[in-house]
Amino acid sequence: MNIKFRPVLYFLALLVFNIKCSTKREKVNHLDILWYQKPASRWEEALPLGNGRLGAMVYGGMYQELIQLNEETVWSGGPGNNINVDFKTILPEVRRLIFEGKFQEAQEYANKYFPRSSGPDNNYGMRYQPVGDLHIEFSGLGEIKEYKRQLDIGNAISTTIVKSDGVTYTREIFASFSDDVIIMRLSSDKPNSISCNVSIATPHKLVKIKGNNNQLKLNGVSGDYENKEGKVQFTTLIRPVLDGGIIDVNDSALVIKRANSVALYVSIATNFINYHDISGNSDLKAQQILSKALEHPIEEAKASHTKKYALLYDRVKLNLGVTDSVRNPTDVRLARFNEGNDPQFVSLYFQYGRYLLISSSQPGSQPANLQGIWNNKVKPPWDCKYTVNINTEMNYWPAETTNLTELTEPLFAMIKDISETGKESASRLYGARGWNIHHNTDIWRISGPVDGAYYGLWPMGGTWLSQHLWQHYLYQGDKKFLREVYPILKNQALFYVDIMQKEPVHGWMVVCPSMSPENSHHPNTTIAAGTTMDNQLVFDVFNDVIRACEILDTNRAFADTLSQLLGQMPPMQIGRWGQLQEWMYDWDHKDDKHRHVSHLYGLYPSNQISPYRDPRLFEAAKTSLIARGDISTGWSMGWKVNLWARLLDGDHAYKLIKDQLTPSIQKDNSEKGGTYPNLFDAHPPFQIDGNFGCTAGIAEMLLQSQDRAIHVLPALPVEWKNGEISGLVARGGFEVDLKWKNGEIAEVKVHSNLGGNCRIRSYVPLKGKGLVEAKGENTNPYYYTANIREPLDHSMEPIKMEPLRKVYEYDLATRKDENVWLYKL
Ligand code: FUC
């Protein structure tokens, strides 16, 4: 494929896309724009706005506007954990059955306590629900001659432009990061031409809509579900600020006539304070937020919104080349992406992932759920809650690498909450100290199983989540943070100290009962003991705690206990066809295409499988992944981008990007794993994890730091011949900019936030001030990697070892806040 940087075309693109934005920031990068020639005809075509707490989906109709609204704490039910059984009383029997190989019986027996359909206080999980829809009916518009709607992800503003009878009408909308309201401006280039009716509707049952004090007010209550009464009260206020014209407010609408322009401020609040307290006053809170926001005229509000947003967004820039294709509307680019020649579409998709994380996960907000914060359904798929056997973790994969570290705060706050609620499941279900959760949680921080034993009896959710705490420490080097979260990690490890059992065949210490998430090893049976992913997860949390004990100089005796247990756990095993075994026994089928690839957790996001430390395991992981195939659900493909990046195969990673950037909606309206017109990822249905997984994967193709060095361009596909990226983050507090030419690194800039040894790995020799050939172990403490046990190899034939590309490794002593430049030799 021939990719060229074409300044002329770029300039042309600027002209074609130019929409007169009145923003003072005026930093509109026209490559950062999603745009369409038609209004959205379905939700997956509407454009998402969000400020972490509030979400809006903008349809951009010609004669009417529809904005679907979300507020992150509108969930069904109310406070309470979903544990009402003492599973620990039947636990010995479940374990006995498993250790006797009676897996199905064990699963059925456990189902007595955890039936597939939920009981009154047991086995349930709540739903994330919408607030409602804001409607605007415009009057006085004639035939529409020109139309365009767009989302500027560089400024987090959506704009719709309609031309009728020679008048240009402009609608700008943003979910303000600085004022915490949704703000919309309706304007035109002809005085007194804005006439419209503004109304609001909600799908909830308990509702009151009223117009007074120059504003519309909606009160509602969240839904009942699974025997839990909906208790979240929410208030929405819509306040118009007119320039010219007149307004009449009645109980169903704001009727605006002949205004020059209108600013609409939408404030939403609930009675939710935290997972066990809903004693807030939604009316008061919504009004307070609104009154404060109204102090800022719209121009000022817009400028401070974009300024705050840009502080995060602007940290990373990616250029993979620009071709003529950038001139096409976004849906057309998506449809044609697989034809090739649109590398900028990958950059756009990468930045869109960052945009979505910034918009759905802000410090102090709830973490991004299965759909971020965007959901229009009262009964959303999988309740739109938190699935923690992959999906929630995947949401946060791009956070550290793509320089959005602050956005992990909501995740960490949730982990802190469930480290409390999870004590109940640890003690009542397992008779254990510490804490745990299973494969789901929700805003009420439930910690028990959901969806029966087949899906739900997986006690490892907290362990995977907790890895994000440890990784945050490795990226940021914040010892204070480590000290704060140490009790969470320690109590996580303690849970395993208490529940691990000696299995009878090898005498290994294993988690039992558990599963390899959602994958059956025998028909309709997932329940097992000592699965590979469980072992990898426990390996990680034990090693985190052992390291943390050294760093914080605490609890050495506990660390010794963990070290001893580590020596008694199963090693990874290579199965009969050379694959990495998914379970303790060699049950893997070559034709298993299951979307979960849980045993490859050790390859990504963890770092237990490395080509440089154990090439056999590396090959075994590759064999497993090849057998699993490429095409799958959206998130599964997103995971595989990362896995192929870790397998150092950029071309295969790129193939997965192509699979993911395929239109989900087919001609017959059926859907498949891929991407919707608004670039939301399709499981199907929409699930945001796929967006985040692929964004993380693109970063992982360009920079890795998990394997004892910073590897520059570890998995560059041939398609990305020339390019540059700035602002990626590596462990140890390094920010890295890269430029490459003809498929080879040309320039590396390292900015050190912490100082310390910077070990660089590259496929080509490098030169630079202070660069020396690497010797011995990397002395940078954030690059310390625990040794795994020697794997057991049961393969029937010798494993075919593919030669690894030669690498050059260098050490560079960096000082805090220093910039260092390296070049290709
Ligand atoms: C897991 C996955 C499903 C889906 C659900 C929300 O259970 O296996 O594919 O993504 O989460």
Side-chain angles (χ1 to χ4, degrees):
M1 192 173 62
N2 183 16
I3 301 161
K4 289 181 191 147
F5 296 90
R6 296 184 192 172
V8 183
L9 270 178
Y10 177 66
F11 182 64
L12 241 173
L14 288 189
L15 288 181
V16 174
F17 292 156
N18 191 29
I19 277 183
K20 280 200 184 105
C21 290
S22 48
T23 169
K24 291 228 177 65
R25 189 167 166 258
E26 289 292 6
K27 267 180 69 185
V28 180
N29 175 350
H30 294 269
L31 294 173
D32 274 351
I33 283 174
L34 280 68
W35 74 280
Y36 305 83
Q37 292 162 311
K38 280 196 218 112
S41 59
R42 55 184 283 174
W43 191 79
E44 295 82 357
E45 290 175 4
L47 295 170
L49 296 170
N51 70 353
R53 191 176 74 83
L54 305 173
M57 293 290 286
V58 184
Y59 282 66
M62 291 185 175
Y63 298 95
Q64 68 284 109
E65 180 58 271
L66 167 58
I67 300 166
Q68 186 261 313
L69 299 170
N70 284 108
E71 197 278 353
E72 62 174 1
T73 61
V74 179
W75 284 68
S76 66
N81 203 348
N82 63 346
I83 293 160
N84 199 26
V85 290
D86 286 317
F87 180 62
K88 63 172 180 245
T89 55
I90 67 160
L91 187 60
E93 181 60 8
V94 174
R95 284 178 172 152
R96 186 186 66 79
L97 289 168
I98 291 172
F99 287 146
E100 284 178 8
K102 296 172 182 159
F103 303 103
Q104 178 126 35
E105 277 132 290
Q107 189 172 296
E108 273 162 26
Y109 194 57
N111 268 338
K112 284 192 181 156
Y113 274 19
F114 306 119
R116 181 73 168 88
S117 58
S118 59
D121 289 304
N122 181 22
N123 210 16
Y124 66 76
M126 290 295 112
R127 285 170 168 153
Y128 176 56
Q129 299 187 311
V131 164
D133 293 336
L134 175 74
H135 292 273
I136 308 175
E137 287 285 335
F138 295 97
S139 48
L141 266 70
E143 195 192 337
I144 288 167
K145 293 274 168 53
E146 277 177 48
Y147 171 89
K148 176 178 175 179
R149 68 187 169 104
Q150 70 171 34
L151 175 64
D152 173 0
I153 61 169
N155 288 294
I157 295 178
S158 142
T159 308
T160 303
I161 306 242
V162 169
K163 254 193 181 177
S164 169
D165 295 333
V167 183
T168 304
Y169 298 87
T170 306
R171 269 173 250 157
E172 281 182 296
I173 313 178
F174 53 97
S176 170
F177 285 97
S178 39
D179 287 311
D180 206 12
V181 287
I182 292 164
I183 305 180
M184 180 180 342
R185 183 181 33 202
L186 314 171
S187 61
S188 82
D189 56 5
K190 188 180 158 210
N192 304 113
S193 56
I194 307 290
S195 296
C196 59
N197 279 14
V198 181
S199 61
I200 184 157
T202 176
H204 292 280
K205 281 193 201 124
L206 288 170
V207 195
K208 207 166 76 196
I209 302 178
K210 221 176 151 37
N212 58 15
N213 294 335
N214 255 351
Q215 62 192 28
L216 263 190
K217 176 176 167 192
L218 176 139
N219 284 102
V221 183
S222 68
D224 304 340
Y225 185 40
E226 295 182 327
N227 300 309
K228 300 273 285 182
E229 189 191 335
K231 289 188 176 157
V232 177
Q233 298 162 3
F234 57 92
T235 304
T236 305
L237 301 173
I238 305 166
R239 173 68 155 266
V241 178
L242 271 65
D243 169 18
I246 51 166
I247 179 164
D248 179 37
V249 181
N250 60 47
D251 276 350
S252 57
L254 308 169
V255 182
I256 295 165
K257 287 191 180 128
R258 294 183 302 280
N260 298 319
S261 71
V262 179
L264 287 174
Y265 287 71
V266 182
S267 173
I268 314 173
T270 75
N271 60 343
F272 180 93
I273 292 179
N274 59 42
Y275 73 92
H276 52 79
D277 183 358
I278 48 169
S279 66
N281 181 329
S282 61
D283 274 4
L284 201 67
K285 198 173 161 202
Q287 190 57 56
Q288 276 169 353
I289 296 171
L290 180 63
S291 303
K292 259 189 117 194
L294 286 166
E295 288 169 14
H296 306 129
I298 189 151
E299 271 310 313
E300 197 186 309
K302 193 167 118 183
S304 51
H305 159 73
T306 54
K307 196 170 156 208
K308 199 162 172 209
Y309 170 75
L311 285 177
L312 291 165
Y313 182 79
D314 286 354
R315 287 179 189 168
V316 175
K317 303 244 182 296
L318 170 61
N319 180 358
L320 295 172
V322 178
T323 60
D324 304 22
S325 308
V326 300
R327 285 201 262 178
N328 291 324
T330 305
D331 45 348
V332 174
R333 292 177 74 183
L334 173 66
R336 293 190 189 157
F337 179 68
N338 266 271
E339 292 168 13
N341 210 34
D342 193 0
Q344 201 281 328
F345 199 58
V346 178
S347 324
L348 180 70
Y349 189 76
F350 169 81
Q351 293 292 25
Y352 188 56
R354 297 183 66 245
Y355 166 80
L356 292 172
L357 194 62
I358 300 170
S359 306
S360 62
S361 182
Q362 284 286 315
S365 75
Q366 294 296 318
N369 63 40
L370 280 174
Q371 298 183 187
I373 39 165
W374 299 280
N375 165 41
N376 63 335
K377 294 192 173 77
V378 170
K379 299 177 185 178
W382 294 287
D383 302 329
C384 198
K385 53 184 181 307
Y386 298 97
T387 310
V388 297
N389 63 12
I390 173 69
N391 317 83
T392 306
E393 291 85 354
M394 188 179 277
N395 284 359
Y396 287 89
W397 285 353
E400 302 289 352
T401 50
T402 78
N403 217 330
L404 298 172
T405 182
E406 298 90 333
L407 307 189
T408 54
E409 191 277 341
L411 180 73
F412 298 164
M414 179 167 88
I415 296 172
K416 189 161 184 283
D417 291 346
I418 52 184
S419 74
E420 289 301 321
T421 59
K423 284 181 184 156
E424 194 181 354
S425 40
S427 67
R428 290 192 63 189
L429 304 183
Y430 300 96
R433 295 169 295 171
W435 66 279
N436 91 308
I437 67 164
H438 295 77
H439 94 304
N440 275 196
T441 191
D442 61 17
I443 198 165
W444 313 113
R445 310 308 192 220
I446 54 163
S447 67
V450 169
D451 292 339
Y454 181 98
Y455 294 100
L457 197 49
W458 181 70
M460 316 295 295
T463 326
W464 193 345
L465 285 172
S466 305
Q467 288 316 304
H468 288 251
L469 302 172
W470 178 251
Q471 291 298 325
H472 181 74
Y473 168 71
L474 293 186
Y475 277 96
Q476 303 300 323
D478 182 349
K479 206 164 153 183
K480 192 170 150 263
F481 170 84
L482 183 63
R483 200 179 294 283
E484 271 164 30
V485 301
Y486 173 75
I488 299 177
L489 290 168
K490 188 203 143 195
N491 284 327
Q492 186 58 211
L494 195 59
F495 173 71
Y496 295 106
V497 170
D498 282 2
I499 68 156
M500 286 215 292
Q501 302 289 307
K502 196 172 192 163
E503 53 83 27
V505 175
H506 317 81
W508 289 325
M509 293 301 283
V510 295
V511 179
C512 172
S514 189
M515 72 179 72
S516 189
E518 305 190 23
N519 199 5
S520 54
H521 49 83
H522 287 91
N524 304 317
T525 314
T526 57
I527 296 305
T531 68
T532 299
M533 185 202 224
D534 282 6
N535 303 331
Q536 293 169 344
L537 284 168
V538 176
F539 176 90
D540 273 351
V541 75
F542 279 12
N543 278 298
D544 300 347
V545 173
I546 293 168
R547 273 299 275 173
C549 288
E550 278 170 35
I551 296 161
L552 304 173
D553 193 16
T554 181
N555 262 329
R556 297 295 178 125
F558 185 60
D560 288 345
T561 308
L562 301 184
S563 297
Q564 271 175 24
L565 270 170
L566 275 172
Q568 298 164 36
M569 286 180 57
M572 279 188 260
Q573 301 186 71
I574 298 171
R576 64 196 185 289
W577 45 279
Q579 88 284 13
L580 178 69
Q581 264 180 226
E582 183 162 357
W583 294 274
M584 194 165 65
Y585 298 105
D586 194 349
W587 291 327
D588 306 49
H589 287 292
K590 276 188 181 165
D591 52 2
D592 179 358
K593 303 291 176 215
H594 201 272
R595 59 196 178 282
H596 285 263
V597 282
S598 304
H599 49 318
L600 301 185
Y601 163 86
L603 177 64
Y604 184 94
S606 190
N607 66 347
Q608 296 165 38
I609 298 170
S610 149
Y612 306 110
R613 285 179 275 144
D614 197 326
R616 275 175 316 161
L617 266 185
F618 181 76
E619 289 300 331
K622 196 189 289 177
T623 301
S624 289
L625 189 58
I626 290 170
R628 216 55 153 222
D630 296 339
I631 307 279
S632 190
T633 59
W635 64 255
S636 180
M637 295 192 280
W639 194 350
K640 289 168 189 167
V641 177
N642 291 279
L643 289 166
W644 280 108
R646 286 281 172 96
L647 289 169
L648 307 178
D649 187 337
D651 291 335
H652 208 134
Y654 186 65
K655 152 98 179 31
L656 262 304
I657 294 177
K658 289 207 273 188
D659 291 339
Q660 206 171 339
L661 289 181
T662 299
S664 164
I665 304 170
Q666 306 298 291
K667 285 211 171 75
D668 62 0
N669 254 339
S670 63
E671 296 181 11
K672 60 172 192 151
T675 299
Y676 289 113
N678 64 0
L679 305 193
F680 270 174
D681 176 72
H683 180 289
F686 164 49
Q687 232 175 258
I688 205 158
D689 41 21
N691 286 95
F692 295 138
C694 190
T695 296
I698 292 163
E700 206 64 24
M701 290 161 77
L702 300 175
L703 191 82
Q704 294 179 18
S705 66
Q706 78 290 349
D707 198 8
R708 302 184 178 182
I710 296 178
H711 195 162
V712 295
L713 302 184
L716 192 71
V718 287
E719 278 84 353
W720 299 349
K721 241 181 150 131
N722 302 307
E724 55 190 298
I725 189 157
S726 60
L728 284 183
V729 181
R731 288 166 183 82
F734 296 108
E735 286 182 42
V736 183
D737 302 354
L738 306 170
K739 277 192 189 139
W740 62 97
K741 283 189 188 129
N742 292 321
E744 287 184 346
I745 191 78
E747 191 181 320
V748 183
K749 179 185 153 197
V750 178
H751 175 84
S752 171
N753 289 323
L754 301 170
N757 186 52
C758 178
R759 178 164 292 181
I760 302 265
R761 183 178 293 146
S762 156
Y763 294 129
V764 296
L766 299 173
K767 61 179 177 189
K769 206 172 144 214
L771 206 61
V772 295
E773 209 176 294
K775 287 223 172 64
E777 286 292 316
N778 187 350
T779 54
N780 188 311
Y782 305 103
Y783 284 76
Y784 166 84
T785 310
N787 284 317
I788 56 163
R789 283 182 73 182
E790 179 73 12
L792 281 181
D793 187 349
H794 315 287
S795 48
M796 307 296 266
E797 283 172 30
I799 297 177
K800 209 176 112 241
M801 305 291 278
E802 296 213 20
L804 285 173
R805 249 176 110 173
K806 179 174 169 52
V807 289
Y808 301 84
E809 289 193 357
Y810 304 92
D811 281 337
L812 184 69
T814 66
R815 281 190 308 265
K816 190 169 168 355
D817 299 326
E818 189 184 27
N819 286 325
V820 191
W821 279 266
L822 312 172
Y823 301 92
K824 186 183 164 193
L825 190 69

